[in-house]
Amino acid sequence: MNFLDGSLFPENQDKLVITAAPYGPEWFPSDFPEDIPVTMEEQVQKAVDCYNAGATVLHLHVRELDGKGSKRLSMFNELIAGVRRAVPDMVIQVGGSISFAPEADGAAAKWLKDDTRHMLAELDPKPDQVTVTVNTTQMNVVEQMDIRDIAGTSMGGETYQAYREMIVPSGPGFIEEHIRRLSAAGIQSAFQFYNINSYESVERLIRRGVYKGPLVMNWVAIGGGMDAPNIYNLANFLRAIPDGAMLTVESTMLNVLPINMMGIALGLHVRCGIEDNLWNQTRTGKMSTVRQIEQLVRISREFGREIATGKEAREILKIGVFHDTVEETLAANGFAPNPSGRQQGYLRKVA
């Protein structure tokens, strides 16, 4: 991205798109009973509350009545339908892991098989987005957690070890097939980039014609095999991506707010919620997803940057937009065109 003179002026930036992640499958309801919904009615209402507070994208996971993360696609269909009825303008983003929460203490925290994840393209009603992980990597979500972050929660002992050893399986065959199925269903791929390498893999997919849509992505700065949340990693990532991309910054625990403040100032977009952080900045109390959203709304307006409505968020995210050719996709996303008249290398290897 290019930060030319005036790039930090709010009148030259898009309105802020806030993604809410209120379902937090790694936590159990006992960890924050005031803010972790369990019944379907409560889960729908949580989406409504987040939307009314200022979030226009809902990162969606589903719980069973016992409080555990659901792996049943029928439950996802039910929640998506409920949210569609209650807040039709909200962008629904299904977490592509489905739910990696362990089913019992000591159980492996692992992602479901490729065939199961591919079935997200068959959800009915269909979501606007499904998050797509890029490249197999370690996802040690607890590496940067402080002992105080997990004190008194279910994230201890064997559960802690399960998350510590978690791996994201996301090889080339899965990625290409998954993108094809989502695109064929009219669902946007919301790419989850852990570092510059995973971004570069998607650029190659675009140049080969595997993905022909808007470059909408999260920079996931949580450590543990992914970028650490610091200004150097963020700046290095921003230097690589084109101006036509839509980037949301994402971090974990007490890093969430400062990373989001950087994102707001730079004209990027933000994510918050109990999936990422349970605490206020002094760890003197837990902070609900709605309170986190309200905090970001207030801070953004202090910067002079207004909050996108649901319809504006859809325009910024280019929901429903797909392109016919590689050249059109590259141009729309701000990439340089593919070279012509010389050795094409991997560009000839369209999967």
Side-chain angles (χ1 to χ4, degrees):
M1 284 183 167
N2 295 297
F3 290 88
L4 306 175
D5 290 348
S7 294
L8 301 185
F9 300 168
E11 63 262 31
N12 294 326
Q13 299 174 339
D14 284 334
K15 291 183 180 180
L16 182 69
V17 176
I18 300 175
T19 298
Y23 300 116
E26 74 273 33
W27 308 109
F28 287 104
S30 59
D31 294 323
F32 198 178
E34 302 89 343
D35 198 53
I36 296 182
V38 174
T39 69
M40 186 58 64
E41 182 180 6
E42 291 170 340
Q43 292 180 78
V44 171
Q45 185 59 47
K46 183 61 63 177
V48 173
D49 294 343
C50 290
Y51 184 81
N52 289 339
T56 46
V57 179
L58 178 70
H59 183 75
L60 185 146
H61 294 276
V62 190
R63 288 187 190 272
E64 299 282 353
L65 286 174
D66 62 4
K68 296 172 184 174
S70 179
K71 297 175 175 63
R72 292 193 293 157
L73 293 178
S74 60
M75 293 286 287
F76 280 77
N77 289 336
E78 186 177 353
L79 181 55
I80 292 169
V83 173
R84 279 270 186 264
R85 288 191 296 269
V87 276
D89 285 340
M90 195 169 208
V91 176
I92 298 177
Q93 176 191 94
V94 169
S97 61
I98 302 182
S99 177
F100 49 74
E103 294 187 4
D105 288 346
K110 61 183 181 181
W111 291 33
L112 300 187
K113 294 180 180 179
D114 290 358
D115 287 346
T116 306
R117 289 190 286 164
H118 286 325
M119 290 176 66
L120 292 172
E122 302 172 18
L123 289 170
D124 184 21
K126 68 182 181 183
D128 299 293
Q129 300 175 320
V130 168
T131 61
V132 179
T133 60
V134 182
N135 297 336
T136 298
T137 188
Q138 179 74 42
M139 191 179 185
N140 175 5
V141 299
V142 299
E143 184 177 73
Q144 291 208 329
M145 287 187 185
D146 188 282
I147 187 83
R148 294 168 291 177
D149 293 331
I150 61 176
T153 74
S154 62
M155 184 66 74
E158 292 179 334
T159 301
Y160 178 91
Q161 291 301 322
Y163 276 101
R164 182 170 178 261
E165 298 296 331
M166 188 163 62
I167 302 291
V168 178
S170 206
F174 166 75
I175 293 288
E176 293 183 3
E177 180 64 21
H178 202 51
I179 289 172
R180 283 196 186 92
R181 293 193 189 198
L182 292 174
S183 297
I187 299 170
Q188 187 178 84
S189 295
F191 294 107
Q192 307 298 288
F193 291 144
Y194 308 136
N195 49 43
I196 201 167
N197 297 328
S198 53
Y199 155 74
E200 288 170 343
S201 290
V202 168
E203 180 181 348
R204 294 183 184 107
L205 292 176
I206 291 172
R207 292 188 178 281
R208 290 169 51 206
V210 175
Y211 178 67
K212 290 183 284 191
L215 184 56
V216 175
M217 54 189 163
N218 279 34
W219 176 62
V220 185
I222 64 175
M226 305 175 188
D227 265 349
N230 62 59
I231 189 64
Y232 301 106
N233 286 340
L234 177 57
N236 188 48
F237 192 82
L238 291 175
R239 285 176 67 89
I241 64 176
D243 283 333
M246 191 280 190
L247 178 62
T248 295
V249 293
E250 175 184 343
S251 193
T252 186
M253 293 303 176
L254 266 59
N255 294 307
V256 171
L257 181 59
I259 288 294
N260 279 341
M261 291 177 73
M262 293 179 200
I264 291 170
L266 292 172
L268 310 176
H269 304 278
V270 297
R271 167 175 149 153
C272 67
I274 62 165
E275 183 169 336
D276 302 336
N277 178 36
L278 289 176
W279 304 98
N280 62 26
Q281 289 305 102
T282 58
R283 294 194 186 90
T284 54
K286 292 176 181 172
M287 194 169 184
S288 71
T289 298
V290 166
R291 283 186 58 207
Q292 292 180 45
I293 295 166
E294 291 171 342
Q295 182 183 57
L296 292 177
V297 168
R298 177 181 58 78
I299 291 170
S300 188
R301 286 177 173 157
E302 290 287 342
F303 274 101
R305 195 171 166 201
E306 276 303 312
I307 311 303
T309 65
K311 291 181 179 179
E312 289 168 338
R314 288 177 174 275
E315 293 175 359
I316 293 167
L317 289 159
K318 300 182 177 67
I319 297 297
V321 172
F322 293 92
H323 305 297
D324 294 325
T325 66
V326 172
E327 291 73 21
E328 183 185 356
T329 308
L330 291 170
N333 284 303
F335 285 108
N338 278 338
S340 59
R342 68 185 196 191
Q343 208 281 330
Q344 296 294 297
Y346 69 87
L347 293 177
R348 294 191 182 277
K349 301 176 183 177
V350 178

